[in-house]
Amino acid sequence: MNEIKLLNLEKKTRKHKPDPLALYIHWPFCLSKCPYCDFNSHVAQIIPQETYAHALLQELRHAISNIENYKLTSIFFGGGTPSLMDPITVHKLIDYAIKHLPVTEDLEITLEANPTSVEIQKLKDFQQAGVNRISLGIQSLNQQALQRLGRQHDAKQAIDALTLAKRLFPRISFDLIYAREEQTLSEWQKELKMALDLAHDHLSLYQLTIEPGTVFAKYEKQGKLSLPDEKLSSELLIATEEMTHQYGMYNYEISNYAKIGAESRHNLAYWRYQDYIGIGPGAHGRITENAVLYATERKKNPKIWLELVQKNGNALIIKEALNSIDKAREMILMGLRLKEGVDSIAFQKKCNMTLTNAIDMKILEALVEEDYILWDQKRLKTTPTGSMRLNAILDILVK
Ligand SMILES: C[S@@+](CC[C@H](N)C(=O)[O-])C[C@H]1O[C@@H](n2cnc3c(N)ncnc32)[C@H](O)[C@@H]1O
Ligand code: SF4
């Protein structure tokens, strides 16, 4: 049977409208380890590019061999530092995915890039490989702060990278970390204004968190690092929201700000609890097979991940069916991060239970009364005050 007949047959046998699918590809290597970072990132003297490229393709082939009735909406190369990848590898992975999965017309393909000089020279190659959205890890526009954050680039390199990216890509975001050590409100307002003047249509603005096991965690324990207190942190957040609004961006998620229509489709897929495949060391996935939603996880250590892929064609270490309660918890946890909140119809479809059955209604009433939560039977959302206390709310709200 030729390919067109096969395709028609496949369309006829499809029972439902295809579900959206996102694909995450993890690249675990970095030039150096930043003192605040607990991502699955490793410093390698020599990166065995071809071996890893081959293994990622093997995992991709295995991950999509069994799935059906999906339409690919986004591909995200995250890390680590995926801008250290050979552009040819990026090209091969994109090519394989789009040849083997139905794809939306406006497929979003994002690559996280660090603004060091070596990687900037590769931006054009990434564009030619099919990447259409760049997420630049600028972190700060202040030279002293960049040094404290252990970054390998200076502010000028970051701005040059952004200028070049604007010429090459239709969609650009960049990351900044604020609420840093000794940072005052007026210093942040000045830095954020600079960032907003430079920004295109999307920004990720993260308050610095101290992650266990990092160098910053050690400094904090030794009393060498003092971060803004709760009052200053919330002033910084309020100022961030006000200033981004003035520039026509809204916080569609706790740390993500975009002009309408420029939201990251990939990240929205996570927060709306849509299905996604994750390949590469430590990558997680949520994928439905025969009406069962599975949580998947791959071996975290890059060396062992590689050995497993070479031996078995994949490095899956967990593939676990999620029950309705697991799903409900996860969907509320993710959805409340979003300004739009959790959609009750999508919730029922995904979790096979109503939102009101999943949450403690007495607590909900109290949270609505206290102005932490909004609930109109269609959507469950946090208020601005509630979003600042999201973790505490989640602890008590979900049954
Ligand atoms: C996968 S990481 C880094 C991507 C890229 N390698 C880079 O460094 O630019 C994605 C983003 O998470 C943010 N991030 C990482 N650790 C953080 C922390 N402890 N606190 C706040 N933001 C953090 C940084 O802004 C970073 O750009
Ligand atoms: S912040 Fe980025 S460059 Fe730094 S260690 Fe983490 S992943 Fe690597």
Side-chain angles (χ1 to χ4, degrees), residues 4-5 217 271 387:
I4 294 177
K5 277 188 185 158
W271 296 317
S387 79

Side-chain angles (χ1 to χ4, degrees), residues 132-202:
N132 55 25
R133 184 173 180 274
I134 280 284
S135 171
L136 270 177
I138 289 183
Q139 318 308 355
S140 174
L141 292 165
N142 174 305
Q143 193 47 41
Q144 206 185 3
L146 283 172
Q147 274 162 7
R148 283 192 184 176
L149 291 169
R151 300 295 291 179
Q152 296 278 320
H153 56 87
D154 59 27
K156 184 181 177 308
Q157 279 173 311
I159 294 172
D160 289 349
L162 189 59
T163 311
L164 179 61
K166 279 184 185 166
R167 252 187 269 138
L168 293 172
F169 298 92
R171 298 178 64 200
I172 300 132
S173 177
F174 62 88
D175 297 354
L176 292 181
I177 297 180
Y178 71 107
R180 302 183 305 252
E181 196 189 12
E182 288 169 19
Q183 189 177 34
T184 64
L185 179 60
S186 65
E187 278 166 1
W188 171 235
Q189 284 168 322
K190 206 170 132 208
E191 190 178 348
L192 181 57
K193 182 176 180 322
M194 258 175 89
L196 285 161
D197 285 336
L198 290 165
H200 182 53
D201 54 7
H202 190 287

Side-chain angles (χ1 to χ4, degrees), residues 30 32-34 36-37 39 41 79-81 114 139 151:
C30 292
S32 61
K33 184 80 186 173
C34 303
Y36 53 86
C37 177
F39 282 82
S41 58
T81 305
N114 284 29
Q139 318 308 355
R151 300 295 291 179

